Structure formats: structure tokens, C-alpha cells
């Protein structure tokens, strides 16, 4: 039987499948179910920077009641109680999860600024987190903020958090950067222990009847994996930190492709929401069958085998692939 173990941020995982951050992680029974189904590790749902700030504001507002210091500004903050547990309850949930599970537990912080909230990274470590994931979900809207400013902020954030904790720190990125390999190298140099590619932005829509902005949650689709495989294959071999794919990982073929592109782990959420947590067991079974059939003794044997490291000129390879795709189109119709 094929060896499914892999390494992730200095820890040996029994499986490359990691349950990524989702509402499923709010329930201890679900976390235990993920472990029993064969997950190599679990990532808790995110604690948001705004949520921590809001807790501080609530305290200040109580002390300064009647001064009209905060006006309507707080009305624009999302109602996080429907998704999360609050900072102190989050830490308690983390402690209880650590007491129940044997697989590594990764706490998640969602933020964009290296402010005082990074102290929660230390509190998460003290609560038992085996590692920390920084979910850098940020969309710049100010024309005065350059791409360099955005990247500098993320690098500064990593340095600030690394100064607070001894546990490994992973950085979850979006793909909206002009040079992902360059940013990956900067984050590696700043001390990131792993990079997770990529975050999924939930785009708002317009309701033409009410003229309101509507938020809709759309689960990932396997077609989204192609973008992740593309950049994983490019970044692999150029950084010393570990790598993970998230977004579009649904079946056994998806996990195998992630490993071949160079990932240490493949993170799964939407597939579990669609098919249930036992889907992990089915994916494991089919992966093992494929590996046995194709002569792979271990997951590590295939890691990076399809990366761009084996291509002398990756830029030229990209151009050739682009031209080949256009040249093979045989459809009809207009432009």
C-alpha cells in the first residue's frame, strides 16, 4: 500500500489532505470526524482582525458612553457572530479541540495590518495551536496605494507575527499580485514557514430590483484548480518554505495533481460541504488505488515531478503553451 505521509511546516502528517478553514470547524464533533476520516491536519475557521478590533471598541464604547465617539462607523462592520465565536471563545474552542484531537490543529487569523491584534497570535500559540495560518484577505481600493505598498504590508505582517510566536506560520495568499514568485521569495525571506495558494475572493453582485449590493457565497469548482497548479508549479523549487494548494481541490485526481505540481498538502473545504466529511476517506482510497496502479510508493515520490523546475526556460514554455492552445482551437461561430 502506498505511503500517504507528507511533511508540513516541520510536522509529519499521515495524509496530504488538510481540512481548510470553514464553518465546519466550529463544531468539535466535526473536527473529530475529520480526524477519523483520515485528514492529516485541520485548520480552524478564521478569527478576523475586525472582530478583535470590534471587541476593543465595545470596551471603549462602554467606558466612553454618551461621548458619541463612534457614531455610525460600526454599522459597516459585518455581523461576525453568525460565522465566528468571538476572540475569547475562539481561544477556548482551540483549547478544547487540542484536547480532543491528535492531528495538528492550525489556528487562522484573517487580517491586513500589523497592529496590536497580532498579540492574538501569541494567545493562539498558548492555547495549543500547532501552527498559525495568516489569511491575508485584502482588496485595496485606494488609488494611492501601490502594488509595492500592498506587498510590503503583507511582508511586515509576517515579520510582526513571527516575532510573537515560536510555532510555524503559513501565509494564505490571493493570486492578485503582479509577480507571485517574487512575493513568495520575499515572504520566504521574512520567515514564512509555508505559503497557501490561493484565497478565494467572494465577489459582490448587484440586485437590479432593490438596487442593493448582494453578497453571495459560491463554493469552489474543480476548474479553479488550474490556476493554483499553474503557480504552484512555477514557485516550487524557488522557495525553501512548504507549499499548499487550496481552492478547487475536490477529488483524488485533484490532490494527486497538487502533489505533482510541488505542494506538500492539498486543502479541502467545498468538497466536504458538498459531499460530507467522509469524502476524505473516499479520496484516500482512490488515491491509494491510483498510486498502486501507477507504481508510486509514496506521496513524496511524486512531489514536484510536474513542476517547472525541470523546464530550462519556464517563460518560453509558457509562451509556447499559450500559442499551442490558440492553434488547436477548431470551433466555429463568430468572435
Amino acid at each position: 500500500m502506498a505511503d500517504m505521509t507528507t511533511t508540513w511546516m516541520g510536522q509529519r502528517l499521515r495524509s496530504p489532505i488538510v481540512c481548510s478553514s470553514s464553518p465546519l470547524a466550529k463544531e468539535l464533533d466535526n473536527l473529530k470526524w475529520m480526524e477519523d476520516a483520515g485528514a492529516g491536519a485541520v485548520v480552524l475557521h478564521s478569527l478576523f482582525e475586525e472582530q478583535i478590533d470590534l471587541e476593543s471598541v465595545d470596551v471603549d464604547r462602554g467606558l466612553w458612553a454618551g461621548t458619541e465617539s463612534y457614531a455610525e462607523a460600526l454599522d459597516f462592520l459585518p455581523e461576525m457572530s453568525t460565522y465566528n465565536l468571538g476572540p475569547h471563545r475562539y481561544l477556548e474552542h482551540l483549547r478544547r479541540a487540542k484536547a480532543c484531537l491528535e492531528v495538528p490543529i492550525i489556528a487562522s487569523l484573517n487580517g491586513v495590518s500589523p497592529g496590536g491584534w497580532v498579540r492574538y497570535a501569541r494567545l493562539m500559540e498558548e492555547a495549543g495551536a500547532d501552527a498559525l495560518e495568516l489569511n491575508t484577505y485584502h482588496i485595496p481600493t485606494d488609488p494611492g496605494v501601490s502594488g509595492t505598498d500592498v506587498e510590503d504590508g503583507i511582508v511586515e505582517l509576517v515579520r510582526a507575527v513571527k516575532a510573537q510566536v515560536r510555532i510555524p506560520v503559513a501565509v494564505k495568499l490571493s493570486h492578485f499580485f503582479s509577480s507571485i514568485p517574487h512575493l513568495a521569495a520575499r515572504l520566504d525571506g521574512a520567515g514564512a514557514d509555508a505559503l497557501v495558494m490561493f484565497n478565494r475572493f467572494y465577489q459582490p453582485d448587484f440586485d437590479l430590483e432593490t438596487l442593493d449590493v448582494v453578497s453571495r457565497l459560491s463554493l469552489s469548482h474543480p476548474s479553479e484548480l488550474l490556476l493554483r497548479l499553474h503557480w504552484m508549479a512555477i514557485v516550487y523549487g524557488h522557495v525553501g518554505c512548504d507549499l499548499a494548494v487550496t481552492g478547487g481541490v475536490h477529488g483524488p485526481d485533484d490532490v494527486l495533481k497538487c502533489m505533482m505540481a510541488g505542494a506538500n498538502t492539498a486543502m479541502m473545504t467545498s468538497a466536504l460541504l458538498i459531499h460530507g466529511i467522509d469524502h476524505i476517506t473516499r479520496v484516500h482510497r482512490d488515491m491509494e488505488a491510483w498510486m498502486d496502479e501507477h507504481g508510486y510508493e509514496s506521496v513524496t515520490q511524486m512531489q514536484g515531478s510536474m513542476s517547472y523546475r525541470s523546464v530550462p526556460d519556464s517563460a518560453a514554455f509558457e509562451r509556447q503553451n499559450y500559442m499551442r492552445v490558440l492553434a488547436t482551437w477548431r470551433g466555429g461561430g463568430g468572435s
Side-chain angles (χ1 to χ4, degrees):
M1 182 177 294
D3 180 5
M4 301 287 284
T5 61
T6 186
T7 56
W8 176 242
M9 294 192 287
Q11 302 180 75
R12 192 74 177 172
L13 305 187
R14 62 181 180 175
S15 165
I17 299 176
V18 172
C19 297
S20 52
S21 178
S22 80
L24 290 173
K26 292 191 294 183
E27 302 294 334
L28 287 176
D29 287 345
N30 286 341
L31 295 175
K32 184 61 177 174
W33 191 356
M34 293 171 185
E35 180 179 66
D36 293 342
V42 296
V43 183
L44 297 186
H45 50 292
S46 292
L47 180 62
F48 286 78
E49 175 183 353
E50 290 85 353
Q51 190 177 7
I52 296 171
D53 291 341
L54 183 58
E55 182 181 75
S56 299
V57 167
D58 284 341
V59 173
D60 290 340
R61 183 163 50 184
L63 293 174
W64 296 91
T67 63
E68 301 183 56
S69 301
Y70 298 98
E72 296 90 2
L74 294 179
D75 294 337
F76 293 96
L77 290 176
E79 178 52 63
M80 297 305 301
S81 60
T82 58
Y83 173 75
N84 217 327
L85 301 175
H88 296 298
R89 291 177 63 195
Y90 186 99
L91 295 174
E92 180 58 28
H93 181 65
L94 173 54
R95 293 186 189 96
R96 294 175 63 194
K98 184 61 180 177
C100 294
L101 275 65
E102 295 182 5
V103 297
I105 299 174
I106 303 167
S108 176
L109 269 174
N110 190 310
V112 295
S113 65
W117 69 275
V118 298
R119 69 186 179 91
Y120 272 86
R122 179 64 174 170
L123 294 175
M124 288 176 170
E125 179 180 39
E126 293 173 354
D130 295 290
L132 179 65
E133 180 183 88
L134 298 180
N135 191 340
T136 56
Y137 191 108
H138 174 54
I139 299 184
T141 58
D142 183 353
V145 176
S146 69
T148 300
D149 294 334
V150 174
E151 294 184 13
D152 288 347
I154 296 175
V155 172
E156 183 182 356
L157 173 63
V158 172
R159 289 199 179 104
V161 172
K162 286 290 291 184
Q164 291 284 334
V165 300
R166 296 183 299 273
I167 58 175
V169 174
V171 184
K172 192 172 186 178
L173 294 170
S174 79
H175 61 275
F176 296 113
F177 293 99
S178 58
S179 177
I180 290 173
H182 177 73
L183 178 58
R186 290 191 66 191
L187 292 171
D188 185 32
D193 298 280
L195 301 178
V196 181
M197 303 188 295
F198 293 112
N199 205 333
R200 297 180 68 241
F201 285 141
Y202 299 107
Q203 309 293 347
D205 196 0
F206 299 153
D207 188 318
L208 295 179
E209 297 301 322
T210 63
L211 301 183
D212 286 334
V213 177
V214 180
S215 298
R216 291 193 176 97
L217 173 63
S218 58
L219 299 179
S220 74
H221 186 272
S223 62
E224 297 178 42
L225 184 64
L226 296 178
L227 176 70
R228 277 86 177 158
L229 295 177
H230 175 96
W231 286 111
M232 178 63 62
I234 291 175
V235 171
Y236 177 80
H238 294 289
V239 295
C241 59
D242 289 340
L243 300 169
V245 168
T246 186
V249 179
H250 282 243
D253 291 356
D254 300 330
V255 180
L256 291 167
K257 291 175 182 179
C258 291
M259 300 299 103
M260 291 180 178
N264 298 81
T265 60
M267 296 189 170
M268 190 177 289
T269 290
S270 292
L272 304 186
L273 293 170
I274 296 171
H275 303 293
I277 295 173
D278 282 334
H279 184 62
I280 299 171
T281 304
R282 295 188 290 271
V283 171
H284 267 156
R285 180 193 61 215
D286 293 346
M287 285 179 61
E288 289 175 347
W290 186 93
M291 292 170 66
D292 290 339
E293 180 181 351
H294 291 80
Y296 283 94
E297 297 180 356
S298 68
V299 166
T300 55
Q301 181 184 353
M302 67 177 69
Q303 283 175 337
S305 60
M306 297 289 287
S307 72
Y308 281 40
R309 187 174 61 173
S310 59
V311 180
D313 188 346
S314 58
F317 181 86
E318 284 287 340
R319 291 286 299 174
Q320 292 169 9
N321 179 66
Y322 174 73
M323 292 184 288
R324 185 182 302 116
V325 169
L326 295 179
T328 57
W329 170 246
R330 294 293 182 268
S335 59

